[in-house]
Amino acid sequence: MKDILTAPFVREVCKITDNMYRMGWDERNGGNLSLLLTEEEVAPYLDLNQVLRTIPMIFDASALAGKLFLVTGTGKYFRNVIDDPETNLGIIRVAADGKAVELLWGYKDGGRPTSELPAHFRTHISRLERDPLHRVVIHTHATNVIAMTFVHSLEERAFTRTLWQMCTECLVVFPDGVGVLPWMLCGNDEIGIATAEKMKEYRLVVWAQHGIFGTGRDIDEAFGLIETVEKAAEIYIKVMNSPILQTITDEELWVLAKAFGVTPREGYLNS
């Protein structure tokens, strides 16, 4: 077997978690990530028949039965992942009945997957129904997005339109808009259900006063989506108390959409 620490997917998760910590988005044990893996990717590094232990779950994930995931651990600090992946990450497989996960590698200190696992798994289920190539869920405490949820309407059309108007690339990167949830208690199935419902329409959901859930076909896509929204939110926070002399108009956003071949969410731009 090859050394699992040299696997591209482990190295990539180490790199992105370290990057998000350095950006100030994942203080202490804030933030979590899950990456859907294939057996072909994992088999050169692990014996897929060797289960280290079984971890029960609080909900039915039978829609993901047999699927493999690399998941950050509960209570773990992103800043420590790069130096000790085997303690802070785990590779798990959803059990056949969907009521537990089988640990194949990681959490070597007896740890468990992130407490946000219900929201992750429910999001994976929703996004896979929309896009069979979906693979990644990232939750992070993006600073300016959180700040924006204190001072801006949480109505999704209004929130999305403001972000689109902040910088030119926004409409191109997320023409489907941004889902928004009011403050909810984290780490339980209720917020997972609400997030998954939003993920039927959006690839990114803002949790008011908390952070972002972003998705994608790979880590670059999911992170790039979050990064773009966070940049737009930062610009908004910087200019919101200043006289606005000009902005990107709806007419200009339509020109932008046509030039880049994207379709803005219906009803979000004035015709």
Side-chain angles (χ1 to χ4, degrees):
M1 290 285 180
K2 297 180 181 179
D3 182 358
I4 185 69
L5 298 182
T6 67
F9 48 85
V10 171
R11 293 168 63 91
E12 189 174 19
V13 168
C14 289
K15 180 179 177 181
I16 198 65
T17 49
D18 185 62
N19 187 35
M20 287 191 285
Y21 172 75
R22 299 297 169 194
M23 295 178 81
W25 294 356
D26 295 286
E27 71 293 335
R28 201 172 179 271
N29 63 318
N32 31 78
L33 179 153
S34 59
L35 170 63
L36 176 60
L37 300 170
T38 65
E39 290 188 359
E40 290 74 20
E41 286 177 298
V42 179
Y45 302 95
L46 295 176
D47 180 354
L48 298 179
N49 295 314
Q50 185 176 351
V51 176
L52 302 180
R53 52 191 165 96
T54 299
I55 303 170
M57 295 191 299
I58 64 172
F59 71 104
D60 180 5
S62 54
L64 298 172
K67 293 191 180 298
L68 299 163
F69 294 89
L70 176 59
V71 184
T72 52
T74 186
K76 303 305 181 185
Y77 291 32
F78 271 18
R79 69 180 181 87
N80 294 330
V81 175
I82 198 165
D83 291 324
D84 189 3
E86 193 173 0
T87 296
N88 296 285
L89 303 175
I91 294 178
I92 58 176
R93 179 171 55 209
V94 181
D97 63 2
K99 297 179 181 179
V101 293
E102 300 164 341
L103 179 63
L104 304 181
W105 173 83
Y107 309 142
K108 71 176 183 181
D109 62 350
R112 301 163 62 93
T114 171
S115 62
E116 303 286 7
L117 193 64
H120 278 256
F121 274 1
R122 290 193 182 280
T123 293
H124 280 294
I125 292 168
S126 286
R127 292 309 306 164
L128 285 167
E129 290 175 354
R130 292 294 303 272
D131 180 8
L133 299 181
H134 159 85
R135 295 189 68 188
V136 182
V137 174
I138 297 175
H139 170 52
T140 188
H141 300 167
T143 308
N144 291 285
V145 171
I146 296 174
M148 187 171 169
T149 65
F150 283 90
V151 296
H152 194 286
S153 163
L154 298 183
E155 194 273 323
E156 287 162 339
R157 181 179 185 273
F159 203 92
T160 296
R161 282 175 54 83
T162 295
L163 294 171
W164 282 351
Q165 291 169 346
M166 289 302 102
C167 58
T168 299
E169 71 173 344
C170 289
L171 178 66
V172 178
V173 174
F174 53 98
D176 46 339
V178 173
V180 184
L181 288 175
W183 185 91
M184 298 179 68
L185 180 65
C186 60
N188 63 20
D189 205 21
E190 183 180 357
I191 197 169
I193 292 169
T195 302
E197 188 64 27
K198 293 289 186 184
M199 286 291 181
K200 294 178 181 179
E201 300 183 54
Y202 303 98
R203 292 172 297 142
L204 184 144
V205 175
V206 171
W207 287 3
Q209 293 84 47
H210 187 150
I212 291 181
F213 246 64
T215 66
R217 294 180 173 185
D218 55 37
I219 286 176
D220 277 349
E221 182 180 352
F223 177 74
L225 181 62
I226 294 170
E227 188 177 33
T228 305
V229 170
E230 167 66 2
K231 178 66 171 286
E234 180 181 7
I235 295 169
Y236 172 75
I237 293 298
K238 287 181 175 180
V239 305
M240 60 175 287
N241 291 319
S242 302
I244 303 300
L245 303 181
Q246 54 272 321
T247 187
I248 307 174
T249 66
D250 280 28
E251 181 180 352
E252 290 166 338
L253 288 169
W254 280 118
V255 170
L256 183 65
K258 183 177 180 180
F260 283 87
V262 299
T263 303
R265 177 171 289 276
E266 186 176 356
Y268 275 34
L269 291 182
N270 297 322
S271 55

